[in-house]
Structures are given as C-alpha cells and as structure tokens.
Amino acid sequence: MAIEKVTDIPSDNVYAYALSKTLTKVSSPVTVGLYSECQNRINMVLKNIEVYMNQEAKRREEKYTKGAKPRSITPSISDVLSLILRLLFYRPVWTEQNQNTKNIRYMFVRFSAWHFAGSDLLWAGLVMQLTKAIQNNFGKLQLGLFRIAQHDEEKDGGKKKIEDISKHWRSKKLGCIPIWALILIGFIGSLLILIPLIIFGFPDLKKHQEGEKVEDPVVMVHWKVSPSLYLVFLQLELCDLYYCLLKNLIFNQDLKIRQGLDNKKVSQQLGLMHEVRKEMRLLCCFIYFMEIFERRRIRVVLEITNLDRCTPKKIVGVLDAINILLSDDESPFISVLAVDPEVLVGQVQQAEDCLSKRDSAYDFLDRIITLPFTVPPLSDVSKSIVFGNIVRGQSEMPEDIPLEETGELAAGCPATSVSVEDECSVKYSETEEQAIPLIAKKGNVETFAAAELNLEEVDKLTESAFSCISSRDKSKLQTYISGDTMSMRRVINSIRVTIMIMETRKLEPPPPDKIAAWVVLADLWPCRLSWILQCVEDDQQSDEIDGSFCAADNTKTLWEVFNYNSLELCIIGHTVENFLERDGDPELFEVFLRKDFKFTVGELEMFKLCTVNLNYSIKNELARVRGSRRLKRAGRNAFLSLSSRTVMNMKTEAICQELSKLSFPEKYLNTVRENFIDGRTILFSDPRDLRQVLQMTLGEWMTFKIRFLGVTPSNRTAQAKTPDATNPGVVICPSGQ
C-alpha cells in the first residue's frame, strides 16, 4: 500500500518535500544547486518548497511548549515600541537557549537574474534585491535604528560569544549606569530645574519689573531668553540622532551600491566589493538581533532563477558573490541556485579568466554548491498527468468568438464577397486573367474557411489526439514526449493547428494517434525529420530528371528512407552538428519509426502540407549541403569513381576484384588480403597510412584514390587526408554519396 500511495503523488511534490525537509535540518549557510532542464518544473519545486518549509515552521511553533511563545510575524504597536526601545538601550545576549531554539522562520527572496541582465555587475542587483526584501520585511525604521544604535563593525565582525546566563538582553551602560537611566535622570532633572524657573522667573527680571535700572541692555536680553536655552541644549543630542536616522532612511544600501557602480574609480577596484561585504555583514547582524527579539531563528532563502540565460561573465560574477558574500560562517542565508546544469556548465566553460588550466566548470561549481539536487526526468505516468493538466488548463480559458459567426459577417462584407466584376474577369485575356483574379481567389478562400469549417469535428478530433498522449492505454506516446512543459505546450498547440488545417483543406484525417505522433516526431527530432523530407524530395526530383516520371514508392517507411541515407548523414554530420544537437535520443527515434509508428512516404506527403511545428531552415541547410556534394558527385561520375556507400559495403575480395579491373599487379591484391583491407578501412583510415601499407607508386596511388576515394581538388587535399578536428571519428569523404 505504501508504494501505491507514493506512485499516486506527482513526482515534483515528492522531490520538493524531500528537499524542504533536508533544508530544515541542515545548518546555514548552504548553497543548493537545484538542477532541471525544465524551468516550469523548477518553479513548481520552488513553490512547493516554500509551502512545505512554512508548514514545518508552523508545526514547530505549535508544538513548542518551553518558555515564551515566539512573537507574531506581523508585530503589533506594542511590539514595535518594544523593538525600538531595545534597539536604543539594550544589546542582545547569545545564550545556549536562544541559539538552540527549535522555532524558526523562513523568509523567501526570489531573484530572477534575467531581470537584471542589462546591468554590468549582475551580483550587485542580487545584493540590492536582498537588501530591499529585508527592509520591506522588517521595516526601514528598524534597520536604520540598528545601523545607528547597535552596529559596531569591530565588535560585530567576530563570531558570536555564547554565554551561560538566563537573560537575553543586557542594558547599554555608561560607566556602571544604564544609558536609559541616565537619560531618564537627565530628563527629570531638567524638568525640576526648568519648571520653577519658568513659573517664578529670575531675580534680575523681577527687579527690572519693579523699576530698577539695568545698565546693560544686553544682559537683560540674555536673561529673557535664558530659559529657552536650557531646552535648546537638551535637544542638541536628539538632533544628532534624528539626523543620523534620517540619513540612513534616505541614503540606504540601494543608493550606496548605485553610487559605487556609477563611480568608475570605485567599481574598478576591490573597494566596492569590500563595502558591499560590510553591508552584508550588517544585514546578518540585524537578522541575529531580530532572532533574539522574535524568539526564533530566522533563515533567508534566496532563490536565484534564470541565471543560465545570462552571459558567462555575469554568471561567474553571481557565483562568486554567492561564495564571497553569502557563505560566511554563521551566515543566515540559504541560497538555491535553480538552473539548467548543461547550459550553466557550458556558459561557465566559456567565461574568460575564471578557470585555471587544471580547473573545469564542474570543479568550479563543486567549490560553491554544497547540496546538489537534480530533479530526475518525469516518468511516463507523471508526463501523462502533467500533459493532461496542461490540456485541461488551456480548455478552461475563455473561448473567442465562434468562427461560424465570423464567417456569416464576412460573407456579407463587401471586402470578402465575390462581385460581378470578379466573375466576368474570367472572360478577359490571359494577361488580365493572371493579374485580376488574385483578389477574388483570396476572398473565396476566406469565405470558404469561415463558412464551411466544422468546429465540432475539429474539437472532437483534437480531444482524441490529446487523449492518445495523456492516456496510457491508447498509445505509447508518453514514452516519447519530453518532460519539459514548454515542449508539451508546443505539442498541444501544434496538434490544434494541424487538425484545423486538415479540416480547412478538406483532407481525410488520419487516426488521432497518428496526428499526435507526427507532431511529437517534428518536435523532438526536427533535424532527422528534415533529412528524411529532403531525401524524399531529392529522390522525386531525380526520377523526373531521369525522365522516368515514376512516382516514389509511397509504401516505403520513413525508417527505410532514413536508414538508406544514414551513411551520407554520418559523413556530413560535422557540417550540421548544431542541428543534430537539437534532436532527442537517437535510439528512441529508431524505435519510434521502426516499431511503434511506421509512417510511410505517402503519409509524409499528406502531413507535409499540415506540418507547422517544423523549422524549414534546417531542411534548407541540409539541401544546401547535399547540393554541394552533388557537385563532387559529378566529378566522381566523370572519373568513374565509386560512391562512398558502395565502398562502405565492399568486402576484401570485392576490393581485389576492383583492383583486377584496374590492372593492378598481383602483389597489391595479396597486400589487401594480408591486411584485411575492406571498404570501411579505405574510407575511415588516414590516406597516408593506406598508401604506406600498399607501397604504391604515385601514379598507381592516384588511380586507386580516384577510384575509391573520389576526386579531390588540389587546394583541399590536406583537408581530405585528415579527420575533422571537432569530430575525430568522422572523415571528410569527397567522393559523394
């Protein structure tokens, strides 16, 4: 029963739950590498992590019975006043009790690197986002008071000293007297002095009122204003406090970082990073202070997303900032680096001056990541569930105006109706007939598409195609669809458009599973499908050029077409390597076409008119490469050279028979037999090694090379003799197909 319950839970929730439980156990600082190819799955895991971690924090507080309860996250007026008094007159004491408390609070900060990609220093945007989140969570006033009244760079720069006492707060003292007591005594003393003077006045003022003559008028003015001077002197120290507080509220950390970035003298040196590091230390100390006040531990979970979309230099800057600014001892930060690992490693590998000769991108990341967590690929069951959820989510969207109503309006619109002039234009001359009917034809197509489209049939066929993917009983497409939700959305939208085009063109639709399978084929293997399309097209054109005009064999399967032309694709693989990298698993491609979905050339001709999710620029590039090889094939035919496919399939005895036709001496035939030289050896070995083994003269070698390796221009001989640098296993074979 336990296994059945686990399989019923979506896999992303399982991984999010396991990771959240781990993060509640580990001590900070920690840097998590959350790896997945699908950005939507990353976002889903992050959301679930937030939910599970908040639930765990709430469960701990409800279970806590020792000592006072933690304060509310949304403080009351009394809590705010209590916090201000503690900021001004007290210092926290680190004790065993408050450091080992089980109560905890998680504060989640999402940083999308793509939003700050335009900044020269991406890591500075990360620090500003973190600072802004802490200010908004705790308040600018509280952070400003802490900066003025609590923070001391020298004292707070070291480790926390744990004391074995029961009190959590200690009064600030001047000498042996607490500061709050001195201020209270000074305030009461000032009142005791000022109130009698204001009420009874001063002796000099009384004599002046009784008519006594005062010789110096300046003294009289001095005594008149002397009571207010006491109040002025009393407020001088408070003014300095107000000024510092107002300065920290206005000129916060965001403005300091921006000023440092604008100042080239600062940003080009280590001074900016040093200043930012000090500010990060201040934020850490402020969080420590709030831990004692709230009676719970506080952990800031920094979620970094979309970092793999930025440039290599900026990526390395953010990774360095995580390692330098957020990984100090006793730091309260949990950094979650949510990226596609393959893209991230490739970007880091391209960064200049960040890796040593012995270092690699993986070593660089291993020094930063303390908890790697790779989200495994979705199972077939999970992919079916996710695909069904996406389909249901799209079906719940409000529908647009029905196309039938649009057709009725369009039919009555003068712009789309066929006028008498359009009907009479057929009687005009051929030149006029080619120029005018374009407008009439356009109107006819729009009216036909709007008026005669059967939307009910389209919806029914679309739902059936979707069910072939989401239902495990109808087909095996769950095995082939990608786990990336973006790819699933492309498949869903492409199925809708494909069926709509079939209905518009009044084509007999194939079974729904065939439609869904074709869309999946074009989405997962665009290069291989484009290669099949180009090969079929070239074969048809070759039949017409030869004059036979015979149609291609429509019963031939696409796998047979691909398998027959796979050798040529292997030879030109280095020229279309970027396109081949877009394709999915080659073995799955073979199983797809050879076993599960045996598409034929006839079905290809039908689907080709409705395929919208295939980029034809790939097919055009393959056509260009094939066309350049046909020029070499012309030279091969002129010199009676053998094709590379023919040479590939030749055995040792076939090579000897071909040498006999060329009137080569018997010793070369014996050498071929002794060294077991076949067609594969001739194509994929170094020509220099082959000539050295055969011990041929220059003339004999040229005859042999033209026959078996084709014609190579003199300025490209070196290229033909050596393997490709990027693909050591692929030899550039100039002999054509």
Side-chain angles (χ1 to χ4, degrees):
M1 291 297 295
I3 297 178
E4 294 179 358
K5 291 182 179 180
V6 171
T7 55
D8 291 339
I9 302 175
S11 57
D12 287 346
N13 290 340
V14 175
Y15 304 135
Y17 181 77
L19 182 58
S20 64
K21 282 295 185 181
T22 304
L23 293 180
T24 57
K25 299 293 183 179
V26 298
S27 59
S28 62
V30 61
T31 302
V32 182
L34 182 59
Y35 300 143
S36 178
E37 298 179 356
C38 179
Q39 184 62 39
N40 291 333
R41 293 189 68 193
I42 287 178
N43 294 333
M44 185 62 65
V45 171
L46 290 177
K47 290 180 182 179
N48 292 333
I49 286 176
E50 294 180 10
V51 173
Y52 291 136
M53 294 181 74
N54 287 330
Q55 289 178 355
E56 176 65 18
K58 184 178 179 180
R59 186 190 65 82
R60 291 187 182 184
E61 291 188 5
E62 292 176 352
K63 190 178 179 181
Y64 183 75
T65 56
K66 299 179 181 179
K69 286 285 186 179
R71 298 181 187 269
S72 175
I73 298 178
T74 56
S76 60
I77 298 177
S78 60
D79 290 337
V80 173
L81 295 177
S82 177
L83 175 60
I84 293 175
L85 291 177
R86 281 177 168 78
L87 284 169
L88 294 175
F89 304 117
Y90 290 88
R91 285 193 177 276
V93 180
W94 320 117
T95 64
E96 293 287 346
Q97 181 181 355
N98 58 40
Q99 292 303 297
N100 296 326
T101 180
K102 299 298 183 181
N103 296 318
I104 193 168
R105 171 188 173 188
Y106 295 103
M107 188 177 71
F108 297 91
V109 180
R110 179 70 64 89
F111 173 74
S112 179
W114 185 245
H115 295 166
F116 297 86
S119 174
D120 293 335
L121 296 179
L122 186 61
W123 62 267
L126 183 148
V127 175
M128 287 191 292
Q129 184 82 355
L130 184 60
T131 305
K132 184 178 179 180
I134 294 177
Q135 287 178 350
N136 295 337
N137 196 279
F138 295 105
K140 286 187 176 181
L141 176 63
Q142 291 85 333
L143 185 58
L145 285 175
F146 180 83
R147 189 187 302 270
I148 297 169
Q150 288 285 334
H151 185 56
D152 189 345
E153 293 184 7
E154 295 182 358
K155 293 182 179 180
D156 296 338
K159 293 184 178 181
K160 294 183 293 186
K161 296 181 179 179
I162 308 299
E163 300 182 17
D164 189 12
I165 58 177
S166 59
K167 295 182 179 181
H168 301 303
W169 299 97
R170 180 180 292 123
S171 300
K172 295 181 182 179
K173 295 182 179 180
L174 185 61
C176 297
I177 304 175
I179 293 180
W180 63 268
L182 290 176
I183 294 177
L184 183 61
I185 292 172
F187 181 74
I188 295 174
S190 300
L191 292 178
L192 293 176
I193 295 174
L194 288 177
I195 291 175
L197 292 177
I198 293 173
I199 294 175
F200 299 105
F202 293 88
D204 292 339
L205 294 178
K206 288 183 177 181
K207 292 179 180 180
H208 176 68
Q209 293 174 357
E210 293 174 357
E212 294 184 3
K213 185 177 181 181
V214 180
E215 297 180 356
D216 193 352
V218 178
V219 176
M220 180 181 66
V221 176
H222 170 72
W223 284 109
K224 286 182 180 180
V225 299
S226 59
S228 62
L229 289 177
Y230 286 98
L231 294 176
V232 172
F233 289 135
L234 183 63
Q235 294 177 355
L236 285 178
E237 294 185 359
L238 294 177
C239 289
D240 182 57
L241 178 63
Y242 295 151
Y243 169 75
C244 295
L245 179 60
L246 184 63
K247 177 182 177 183
N248 282 278
L249 290 177
I250 297 176
F251 301 99
N252 52 18
Q253 178 61 21
D254 294 352
L255 184 60
K256 290 182 179 180
I257 295 176
R258 292 192 183 97
Q259 290 176 348
L261 293 175
D262 295 336
N263 189 353
K264 294 183 179 180
K265 293 182 179 179
V266 177
S267 61
Q268 291 177 355
Q269 299 175 359
L270 294 177
L272 178 61
M273 179 66 78
H274 178 67
E275 292 297 326
V276 173
R277 184 181 177 86
K278 291 195 298 184
E279 290 298 326
M280 294 302 299
R281 182 61 188 173
L282 181 142
L283 294 179
C284 293
C285 295
F286 176 68
I287 293 175
Y288 300 153
F289 182 93
M290 294 302 300
E291 286 182 346
I292 306 300
F293 178 76
E294 294 187 2
R295 307 187 191 102
R296 63 163 68 90
R297 289 182 295 163
I298 299 175
R299 293 295 177 263
V300 180
V301 182
L302 179 60
E303 302 170 347
I304 304 174
T305 60
N306 296 319
L307 184 62
D308 45 7
R309 302 175 63 182
C310 301
T311 58
K313 184 178 180 181
K314 295 177 181 179
I315 291 175
V316 174
V318 172
L319 295 177
D320 286 335
I322 294 175
N323 196 26
I324 296 174
L325 301 176
L326 307 178
S327 300
D328 291 340
D329 294 339
E330 302 178 351
S331 176
F333 298 109
I334 299 175
S335 304
V336 181
L337 188 63
V339 293
D340 183 347
E342 184 178 356
V343 177
L344 182 66
V345 169
Q347 293 286 68
V348 172
Q349 198 71 41
Q350 296 176 7
E352 298 179 356
D353 301 331
C354 72
L355 301 176
S356 61
K357 294 182 179 179
R358 298 182 179 179
D359 208 354
S360 65
Y362 294 99
D363 297 330
F364 180 76
L365 292 175
D366 288 342
R367 290 196 297 268
I368 299 174
I369 304 299
T370 55
L371 176 57
F373 189 92
T374 301
V375 181
L378 289 175
S379 62
D380 294 347
V381 178
S382 299
K383 286 191 287 188
S384 301
I385 295 174
V386 173
F387 188 87
N389 292 336
I390 295 176
V391 172
R392 286 190 294 271
Q394 289 191 356
S395 62
E396 293 173 359
M397 297 176 62
E399 296 182 357
D400 297 333
I401 300 175
L403 191 57
E404 294 178 355
E405 298 179 3
T406 307
E408 294 176 359
L409 296 174
C413 180
T416 57
S417 62
V418 181
S419 63
V420 179
E421 296 178 357
D422 295 329
E423 295 177 356
C424 297
S425 63
V426 182
K427 301 179 181 180
Y428 292 164
S429 62
E430 184 177 357
T431 305
E432 294 175 345
E433 187 178 3
Q434 293 176 354
I436 297 175
L438 292 177
I439 300 176
K441 289 180 180 179
K442 182 177 179 181
N444 290 335
V445 172
E446 290 182 357
T447 306
F448 166 78
E452 300 184 10
L453 189 62
N454 190 348
L455 291 181
E456 294 183 359
E457 185 67 23
V458 170
D459 292 339
K460 182 179 179 180
L461 190 58
T462 302
E463 293 299 328
S464 299
F466 290 157
S467 64
C468 292
I469 299 179
S470 58
S471 177
R472 288 171 285 172
D473 300 331
K474 294 185 177 181
S475 68
K476 299 181 179 179
L477 284 174
Q478 305 86 17
T479 307
Y480 300 103
I481 61 174
S482 173
D484 188 358
T485 56
M486 190 62 65
S487 175
M488 292 184 183
R489 293 180 185 274
R490 288 197 302 267
V491 169
I492 292 171
N493 297 329
S494 299
I495 289 175
R496 293 183 188 274
V497 178
T498 301
I499 295 176
M500 190 73 70
I501 294 175
M502 288 182 177
E503 180 65 24
T504 304
R505 298 177 64 91
K506 296 304 176 181
L507 299 175
E508 183 65 26
D513 60 333
K514 285 276 189 177
I515 299 176
W518 181 264
V519 173
V520 171
L521 174 64
D523 183 74
L524 292 183
W525 297 285
C527 183
R528 285 171 169 80
L529 180 57
S530 299
W531 175 254
I532 294 174
L533 287 171
Q534 187 60 40
C535 291
V536 172
E537 181 180 317
D538 290 343
D539 291 341
Q540 293 174 349
Q541 293 173 353
S542 298
D543 291 339
E544 295 180 1
I545 292 173
D546 295 339
S548 59
F549 295 100
C550 59
D553 186 5
N554 290 337
T555 61
K556 183 183 294 185
T557 63
L558 298 189
W559 172 250
E560 292 175 351
V561 175
F562 179 81
N563 192 33
Y564 181 78
N565 297 277
S566 59
L567 174 61
E568 184 180 358
L569 182 61
C570 175
I571 294 175
I572 67 171
H574 63 283
T575 59
V576 292
E577 183 178 2
N578 294 332
F579 297 130
L580 285 172
E581 290 178 351
R582 297 188 56 191
D583 286 358
D585 192 341
E587 286 74 18
L588 279 180
F589 175 76
E590 180 177 355
V591 177
F592 186 93
L593 288 182
R594 190 175 182 179
K595 180 180 178 182
D596 293 335
F597 300 95
K598 300 179 180 180
F599 287 102
T600 62
V601 175
E603 292 174 328
L604 178 142
E605 294 296 334
M606 180 192 62
F607 279 114
K608 186 168 62 173
L609 303 174
C610 310
T611 303
V612 295
N613 63 329
L614 183 64
N615 190 347
Y616 277 86
S617 63
I618 302 176
K619 178 178 173 295
N620 296 335
E621 179 64 21
L622 294 174
R624 186 192 63 80
V625 175
R626 262 202 143 196
S628 63
R629 287 177 54 80
R630 289 181 183 275
L631 295 177
K632 301 176 183 178
R633 188 183 304 171
R636 182 199 70 198
N637 295 334
F639 287 90
L640 301 178
S641 301
L642 299 175
S643 66
S644 57
R645 182 182 292 109
T646 302
V647 176
M648 176 67 72
N649 297 324
M650 293 179 68
K651 303 299 182 180
T652 302
E653 288 301 325
I655 300 292
C656 294
Q657 292 176 6
E658 199 65 33
L659 291 178
S660 300
K661 294 179 182 180
L662 296 176
S663 302
F664 274 84
E666 186 67 25
K667 63 177 182 178
Y668 296 124
L669 278 65
N670 296 331
T671 304
V672 169
R673 294 189 181 97
E674 291 174 359
N675 292 275
F676 300 100
I677 298 176
D678 56 4
R680 297 176 183 270
T681 306
I682 294 176
L683 284 180
F684 295 104
S685 62
D686 192 335
R688 292 174 295 184
D689 297 338
L690 187 60
R691 181 184 177 184
Q692 185 178 1
V693 171
L694 295 175
Q695 295 294 321
M696 290 183 177
T697 62
L698 180 59
E700 293 172 338
W701 169 249
M702 291 304 299
T703 303
F704 178 88
K705 189 175 73 168
I706 291 174
R707 186 63 169 175
F708 291 96
L709 298 179
V711 181
T712 304
S714 58
N715 58 345
R716 300 185 63 182
T717 303
Q719 182 180 359
K721 289 182 179 180
T722 58
D724 183 42
T726 58
N727 295 276
V730 177
V731 176
I732 301 176
C733 183
S735 59
Q737 188 173 354

